[in-house]
């Protein structure tokens, strides 16, 4: 039985995938519905909101009404929108007058780079910190690292961002403040994100390791003469990884369109800023587009996480089917 | 050297030394702005940042110099008919757009028609052209533009970046995508725009038709302009201080002192023309419909102290709704309505607000004297301290001023109906005094695309404004618009607060940065002084 296929056989794997995909569709529909309701409830007259505080003639207002299909009842507009989302037609932005797909395409890779790099750095730092101090070893170091983790987790991202900029960009001139290209422009934003994330990651992993090390199998392994390091990495880590994988999966989904503070401080491209601008401008097609794309990404990441459960701990695979 | 654009941060750290050697292009002006345009079609976007970015891409028919005099640019000369409703423009020869299309009368007509076409959804240019009735092409280099009524502000309107002339080929080929593909005949051609990141303009080597204010008629001094968008004030300022940007704007007033003290940096500032930061009063309904209450509010707020405290002494206090940099500004408005608390108290008593409730607020017929001032946090959040200052000042008189943050939808609804709000704050950049009409002309209600939120209908005001547009005699115009400013103050229709300034920080080696009449920095003659 292969642990790489959910359920062990191609047949069960296909069934597993089909179930996940239908759940994902529900997640996407729910997210889009929430976005639609949110904008629908906060605007008395979306046509006026789209036009903003700028001059508007009755003809212009009428034209925007027609474009937004505001002459139709809300439920019809909702169904139209859901239909378009599931056929992949995200429409054109009111504010930016560009196709939503191309807007998302421009911003998505910057978001992905930031999230992947930030989480990767956070995972490396968190694992080092947790493994070095798990199971009651090195109590002084453990207390110190734990304190750092709490402080960083509690500090706002923009403060870290400005701090890093102040030292590494304004003083040492090592990295560009904004607008740079390539890996150099990614370092400070990714570090800022990692500083936000590594605290919770380390805490979760360390707690998991502590629990695993108290299990009877750990004692057995030690009695058989397994070294501490081997026990940690080979046995305890497998147990402790599950909650961390869950947490990082959730983080990827949340940050794809939620890293707006970091994107703003570093003047970076990203879905977060695109979404924030669209919300203030009541640009429904862009809001729905970004929400859809993030919901799909979230669903895909959740699937990967579920699949990883089975790989990391084959016992969880039994429940799949 | 080749540096992979996709790599993780850890790898990036290792590659650092390898990448650190790349030098920036020395004669490219590196500009950092706080906001980015939503669209680079100047006939669509109403925003000041759009004008800043595309001014170098598009030329206009005429130029307005700092003295308010209209000078030739793409139009060599022009004639105005006796009824002041037709303008014949003779275009300069030998001008080509960035895509190779020659400038002709058709290009001018296409641009003006594009601005006024409903499909363009123009947010500002159409307003500038509201009296436009169409154009006739007399020959390839002569165009006659017709107006529905005389409009002395028409040439000023044509001088703005918002009516910059576009390539007709581009308007045909790029239709629907003009926001992302601006093609004009200016000293810089558009290279790329990576949204939320940067805009790149390159020098247009064939450029030979600068306006009179330029240092040379030929191509721009810099080989390009690299514009990045850094919304965070501290980060943007840091970009200038650390030498990563040559030009940074806006500079928050709190940082102006730092710039002046630093020998490597320079602060350039220009008063913005047009309507200063002004609190418009609801003079048609609610407590402020009583002129005495409006005067009382104006006489109770210590604007000098408030503006100095909020803007660190960088913005002058305003006495007239028009800024001092606007043609026809009335300098004799200065000191004409000083703080007079005793007078303010007396006016409120006369208006019947004589009672006091348990919290000390004034009451009339059992009703507390409440005023509502809604604001949009996204655009006016930076002025919140000012709003709260006014709130504290009128409280001393016993007025309960509610300053409330509203979301865009509610705010627009409030201003659109003109009900449920007693005042709102605004400013409006335009280098022509007729900007006053937009807020106070009876024909400028929001239904008509104007800004007269409270539907002010004042025949005296309308007559004065109409007289200001009916003549091209500058002295006569000045007289009419000065009368408007005094009239507005006498009736206390608004409370002018401070004169906004364009604040630009540059490195001290940079040279040649000028301001357009409307207060935007011009990059045409800039040399970076790096290398």
């Amino acid at each position: 039985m292969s642990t790489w296929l959910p359920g062990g056989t191609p047949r069960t794997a296909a069934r597993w995938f089909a179930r996940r995909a239908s759940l994902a569709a529900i997640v996407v529909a729910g997210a889009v519905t929430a976005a639609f309701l949110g904008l629908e409830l906060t605007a008395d007259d979306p046509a006026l909101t789209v036009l903003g505080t700028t001059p508007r003639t009755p003809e212009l207002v009428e034209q925007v009404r027609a474009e937004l299909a505001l002459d139709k009842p809300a439920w019809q507009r909702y169904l139209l929108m859901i239909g378009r989302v599931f056929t992949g037609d995200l429409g054109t932005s009111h504010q930016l007058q560009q196709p939503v797909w191309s807007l998302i395409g421009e911003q998505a890779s910057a978001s992905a780079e930031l999230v992947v790099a930030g989480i990767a750095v956070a995972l490396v730092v968190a694992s080092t910190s947790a493994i070095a101090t798990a199971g009651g070893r090195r109590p002084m170091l453990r207390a110190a690292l734990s304190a750092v983790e709490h402080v960083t987790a509690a500090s706002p991202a923009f403060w870290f961002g400005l701090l890093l900029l102040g030292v590494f960009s304004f003083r040492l001139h090592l990295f560009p403040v904004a607008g740079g290209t390539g890996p150099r422009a990614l370092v400070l934003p990714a570090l800022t994100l990692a500083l936000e994330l590594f605290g919770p990651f380390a805490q979760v992993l360390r707690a998991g390791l502590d629990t695993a090390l108290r299990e009877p199998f750990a004692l057995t392994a030690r009695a058989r003469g397994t070294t501490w390091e081997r026990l940690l990495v080979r046995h305890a880590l497998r147990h402790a990884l599950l909650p961390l994988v869950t947490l990082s999966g959730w983080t990827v989904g949340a940050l794809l369109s939620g890293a707006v503070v970091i994107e703003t401080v570093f003047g970076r491209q990203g879905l977060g800023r695109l979404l924030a601008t669209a919300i203030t401008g009541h640009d429904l097609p862009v809001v729905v587009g970004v929400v859809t794309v993030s919901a799909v990404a979230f669903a895909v990441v959740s699937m990967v996480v579920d699949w990883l459960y089975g790989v990391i701990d084959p016992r969880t695979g039994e429940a799949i089917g | 050297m080749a540096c992979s654009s996709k790599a993780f941060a850890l790898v990036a750290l290792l590659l650092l030394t390898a990448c650190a050697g790349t030098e920036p292009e020395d004669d490219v002006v590196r500009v950092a702005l706080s906001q980015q345009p939503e669209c680079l079609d100047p006939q669509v976007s109403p925003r000041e940042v759009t004008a800043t970015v595309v001014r170098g891409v598009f030329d206009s028919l005429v130029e307005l110099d700092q003295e308010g005099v209209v000078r030739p640019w793409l139009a060599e000369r022009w004639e105005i008919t006796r009824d002041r409703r037709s303008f014949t423009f003779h275009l300069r020869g030998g001008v080509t757009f960035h895509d190779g299309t020659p400038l002709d009368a058709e290009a001018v007509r296409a641009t003006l028609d594009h601005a006024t076409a409903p499909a363009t959804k123009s947010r500002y240019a159409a307003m500038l052209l509201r009296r436009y009735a169409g154009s006739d092409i007399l020959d390839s280099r002569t165009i006659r533009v017709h107006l529905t009524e005389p409009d002395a502000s028409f040439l000023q309107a044509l001088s703005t970046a918002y009516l910059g002339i576009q390539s007709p080929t581009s308007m045909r080929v790029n239709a629907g995508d003009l926001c992302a593909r601006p093609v004009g005949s200016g000293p810089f051609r558009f290279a790329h725009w990576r949204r939320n990141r940067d805009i790149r303009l390159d020098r247009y080597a064939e450029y030979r038709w600068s306006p009179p204010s330029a240092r040379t008629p030929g191509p721009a001094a810099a080989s390009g302009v690299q514009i990045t968008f850094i919304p965070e004030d501290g980060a943007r300022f840091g970009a200038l201080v650390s030498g990563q940007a040559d030009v940074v704007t806006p500079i928050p007033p709190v940082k102006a002192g730092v710039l002046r003290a630093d020998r490597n940096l320079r602060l350039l500032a220009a008063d913005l023309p047009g309507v200063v930061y002004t609190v418009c009063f609801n003079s048609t309904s609610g407590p402020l419909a009583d002129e005495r209450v409006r005067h009382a509010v104006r006489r109770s707020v210590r604007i000098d102290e408030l503006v100095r405290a909020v803007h660190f002494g960088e913005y002058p206090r305003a006495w007239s709704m028009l800024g001092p940099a606007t043609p026809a500004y009335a300098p004799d408005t200065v000191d004409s309505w000083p703080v007079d608390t005793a007078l303010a108290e007396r006016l409120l008593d006369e208006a019947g607000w004589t009672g006091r409730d348990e919290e000390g607020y004034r009451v009339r017929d059992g009703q507390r004297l409440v005023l509502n001032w809604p604001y949009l946090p996204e655009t006016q959040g930076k002025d919140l301290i000012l709003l709260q200052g006014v709130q504290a000042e009128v409280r001393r008189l016993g007025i309960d001023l509610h300053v409330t943050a509203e979301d865009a939808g509610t705010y627009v609804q409030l201003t659109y109906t003109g009900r449920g709000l007693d005042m709102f704050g605004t400013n409006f950049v335009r280098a022509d005094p007729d900007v006053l009409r937009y807020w106070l002309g009876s024909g400028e209600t929001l239904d008509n695309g104007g800004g007269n939120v409270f539907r002010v209908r004042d025949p005296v005001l309308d007559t004065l404004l109409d007289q200001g547009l009916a003549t091209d005699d500058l002295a006569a115009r000045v007289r009419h618009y000065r009368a408007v400013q005094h009239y507005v103050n006498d009736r206390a229709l608004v409370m002018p607060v401070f004169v906004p300034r364009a604040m630009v920080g540059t490195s001290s080696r940079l040279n040649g940065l000028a301001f357009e009449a409307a207060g935007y920095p011009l990059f045409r003659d800039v040399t970076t002084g790096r290398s």
Side-chain angles (χ1 to χ4, degrees):
Chain A
M1 208 171 90
S2 162
T3 55
W4 295 96
L5 282 177
T9 66
R11 231 179 95 95
T12 53
R15 269 174 54 203
W16 178 87
F17 181 80
R19 232 184 77 207
R20 294 294 135 142
S22 50
L23 284 175
I26 294 172
V27 168
V28 172
V32 170
T33 307
F36 179 82
L37 283 178
L39 287 189
E40 191 72 21
L41 292 176
T42 53
D44 294 322
D45 188 338
L48 292 185
T49 314
V50 163
L51 285 172
T53 49
T54 43
R56 57 219 127 165
T57 54
E59 303 86 61
L60 193 54
V61 173
E62 273 321 300
Q63 191 192 336
V64 173
R65 284 223 168 89
E67 281 172 20
L68 298 178
L70 289 176
D71 39 346
K72 297 195 178 75
W75 65 269
Q76 275 190 25
R77 275 181 282 135
Y78 172 72
L79 288 183
L80 260 164
M81 185 196 67
I82 288 280
R84 281 217 303 265
V85 163
F86 280 94
T87 51
D89 173 14
L90 297 182
T92 304
S93 157
H94 303 313
Q95 246 188 337
L96 311 173
Q97 307 205 351
Q98 264 184 286
V100 174
W101 268 122
S102 80
L103 288 169
I104 290 175
E106 272 174 6
Q107 309 294 322
S109 66
S111 282
E113 278 171 23
L114 174 64
V115 171
V116 169
I119 288 183
V121 175
L123 281 176
V124 169
V125 178
S127 311
T128 316
S129 164
I131 290 171
T133 58
R137 295 251 163 147
R138 309 189 181 96
M140 297 285 281
L141 182 65
R142 180 177 170 129
L145 283 175
S146 192
V148 171
E149 285 156 18
H150 279 109
V151 169
T152 52
S155 310
F158 87 90
W159 183 74
F160 278 131
L162 288 180
L163 206 68
L164 290 175
L165 277 176
V167 176
F168 293 103
S169 178
F170 302 162
R171 271 193 198 288
L172 301 178
H173 298 257
L174 286 174
F175 303 100
V177 52
T181 49
R184 279 216 313 151
L186 186 59
V187 175
L188 292 184
L191 277 183
T192 309
L193 186 58
L195 276 169
E196 284 287 286
L197 296 178
F198 96 92
F201 283 8
Q203 298 273 332
V204 164
L205 183 59
R206 191 181 295 114
L209 287 173
D210 286 348
T211 312
L213 289 169
R214 280 196 297 271
E215 295 282 324
F217 74 82
L219 190 65
T220 316
R222 285 294 273 169
R224 277 208 320 264
T226 315
T227 63
W228 176 255
E229 286 71 27
R230 192 176 159 78
L231 172 67
L232 259 178
V233 177
R234 291 279 303 176
H235 300 283
L237 196 56
R238 234 171 217 259
H239 284 256
L241 268 184
L242 286 187
L244 184 61
V245 167
T246 314
L247 184 62
S248 358
W250 175 83
T251 314
V252 171
L255 284 179
L256 265 183
S257 61
V260 60
V261 172
I262 293 181
E263 287 163 10
T264 305
V265 169
F266 291 98
R268 273 181 71 79
Q269 294 185 298
L271 291 176
R273 278 174 84 188
L274 185 65
L275 182 62
T277 324
I279 289 172
T280 48
H282 280 248
D283 197 343
L284 188 65
V286 176
V287 174
V288 167
V290 175
V291 166
T292 306
V293 167
S294 340
V296 168
F298 205 96
V300 169
V301 171
S302 300
M303 273 167 80
V304 173
V305 165
D306 282 358
W307 168 76
L308 276 176
Y309 282 171
V311 175
I312 295 168
D313 189 346
R315 289 173 307 173
T316 60
E318 306 299 323
I320 297 168
Chain B
M1 93 196 54
C3 287
S4 159
S5 67
K6 297 254 164 81
F8 286 176
L10 282 176
V11 186
L13 276 167
L14 302 175
L15 286 177
L16 233 184
T17 38
C19 289
T22 46
E23 277 298 312
E25 303 146 275
D26 280 335
D27 57 348
V28 172
V29 191
R30 300 164 309 171
V31 181
L33 303 177
S34 63
Q35 304 177 351
Q36 75 180 325
E38 79 287 17
C39 170
L40 297 179
D41 179 341
Q43 274 97 59
V44 170
S45 172
R47 298 176 58 188
E48 289 160 32
V49 64
T50 309
T52 306
V53 171
V54 304
R55 178 71 283 189
V57 177
F58 295 101
D59 290 337
S60 296
L61 282 180
V62 294
E63 183 189 46
L64 187 72
D65 70 13
Q66 293 283 1
E67 279 71 51
V69 180
V70 180
R71 296 182 183 280
W73 192 352
L74 289 184
E76 279 176 334
R77 60 198 162 82
W78 55 91
E79 294 108 35
I80 308 174
T81 51
R82 191 180 285 275
D83 67 357
R84 325 209 70 75
R85 283 168 51 184
S86 297
F87 291 67
T88 307
F89 294 98
H90 302 271
L91 304 179
R92 185 196 281 261
V95 175
T96 48
F97 291 100
H98 303 146
D99 59 2
T101 312
L103 169 81
D104 58 8
E106 186 49 52
V108 177
R109 181 164 74 176
T111 299
L112 299 181
D113 287 354
H114 169 63
T116 48
T120 308
K121 276 189 269 179
S122 169
R123 304 272 184 90
Y124 183 50
M127 193 199 94
L128 291 172
L129 287 182
R130 56 179 34 200
R131 291 185 173 75
Y132 177 67
S135 316
D136 293 327
I137 292 173
L138 303 186
D139 63 54
S140 72
R141 278 173 53 193
T142 315
I143 182 168
R144 181 169 292 160
V145 180
H146 302 286
L147 303 180
T148 54
E149 285 165 69
D151 183 353
S153 68
F154 181 61
L155 288 175
Q156 183 275 334
L158 287 178
S159 79
T160 63
Y162 303 101
L163 293 178
I165 306 299
Q166 303 206 37
S167 155
T169 313
S170 159
M171 291 170 72
R172 204 167 49 245
V173 176
N174 298 327
D177 204 16
L178 284 174
C179 278
R181 295 174 201 278
V183 181
S185 62
F188 295 103
R189 68 161 83 218
F190 170 78
H192 69 238
W193 177 13
R194 291 178 292 197
R195 198 181 290 277
N196 288 337
R197 187 148 130 193
D198 61 359
I199 287 178
R200 173 65 179 235
L201 310 177
D202 288 332
R203 173 165 53 204
Y204 180 37
E206 283 81 63
Y207 194 72
R208 299 283 180 279
W209 41 87
S210 283
S213 70
R215 283 186 180 174
T216 65
S223 70
V225 183
Q226 174 76 23
I227 302 164
T228 50
F229 303 101
I230 313 182
E232 216 290 315
D233 279 347
R236 193 171 63 254
F237 191 71
L240 176 67
V241 175
S242 61
Q244 297 180 57
D246 306 306
V247 178
V248 168
T249 189
I251 296 289
V254 62
K255 298 284 192 193
V258 182
L259 274 187
R260 288 202 191 89
D262 193 327
R263 283 206 336 221
N264 298 318
L265 304 173
R266 193 184 297 141
L267 178 71
L268 303 171
D271 284 353
L272 293 177
V275 170
V276 299
Y277 184 89
T278 298
V279 181
C280 293
F281 289 146
N282 186 346
S283 56
T284 51
S285 71
L288 292 176
D290 188 329
E291 189 179 314
R292 290 169 294 192
V293 181
R294 302 199 297 269
H295 276 297
V297 170
R298 280 172 31 126
R299 290 307 188 96
S300 66
V301 180
R302 287 169 291 188
I303 295 179
D304 279 308
E305 289 83 350
L306 193 58
V307 170
R308 198 178 312 133
V310 172
H311 294 304
F312 302 87
E314 296 297 333
Y315 295 159
R317 176 260 158 93
W319 292 97
S320 166
M321 194 173 177
L322 274 192
T326 328
Y329 162 70
D332 51 347
T333 51
V334 172
D335 287 330
S336 63
W337 44 285
V339 176
D340 189 338
T341 318
L343 173 67
E345 299 269 6
R346 202 170 64 240
L347 286 168
L348 288 181
D349 287 340
E350 282 172 21
W353 298 97
T354 45
R356 294 273 180 168
D357 64 12
E358 63 278 7
E359 287 179 60
Y361 292 112
R362 283 179 182 265
V363 179
R364 186 179 70 185
D365 305 333
Q367 291 279 330
R368 182 188 279 189
L369 180 43
V370 174
L371 298 177
N372 286 306
W373 187 352
Y375 73 98
L376 269 180
E378 300 96 41
T379 54
Q380 294 150 27
K382 59 183 191 310
D383 294 319
L384 180 58
I385 304 173
L386 186 87
L387 272 62
Q388 289 167 340
V390 174
Q391 185 181 40
E393 291 288 276
V394 298
R395 208 204 138 110
R396 295 183 305 140
L397 281 191
I399 298 175
D400 189 6
L401 175 59
H402 292 193
V403 172
T404 2
E406 299 289 1
D407 66 88
T410 315
Y411 187 80
V412 167
Q413 202 67 29
L414 284 172
T415 51
Y416 197 71
T417 57
R419 280 193 291 274
L421 82 166
D422 297 298
M423 50 222 277
F424 67 93
T426 189
N427 78 295
F428 198 108
V429 177
R430 189 173 174 191
D432 190 279
D434 197 55
V435 65
L436 291 170
R437 170 189 310 272
Y438 178 78
W439 300 102
L440 297 169
S442 63
E444 302 293 318
T445 56
L446 280 120
D447 311 320
N448 287 335
N452 186 350
V453 169
F454 300 120
R455 298 181 169 79
V456 176
R457 294 191 67 89
D458 190 323
V460 181
L461 213 44
D462 284 341
T463 310
L464 286 172
L465 287 168
D466 287 344
Q467 286 170 337
L469 272 199
T471 170
D472 289 324
D473 174 14
L474 203 55
R477 289 197 79 200
V478 167
R479 215 168 44 245
H480 296 308
Y481 288 110
R482 283 191 176 160
V484 173
Q485 294 166 69
H486 285 292
Y487 189 84
V488 168
N489 271 350
D490 293 344
R491 296 288 182 285
L493 293 174
V494 302
M495 178 168 73
V497 183
F498 67 86
V499 184
R501 312 189 80 194
M503 307 255 274
V504 179
T506 73
S507 87
S508 54
R509 290 173 300 178
L510 179 132
N511 225 313
L513 189 96
F515 288 97
E516 205 212 16
Y520 320 120
L522 294 169
F523 305 117
R524 178 183 69 199
D525 298 325
V526 169
T527 51
T528 64
R530 297 200 308 269
S531 77

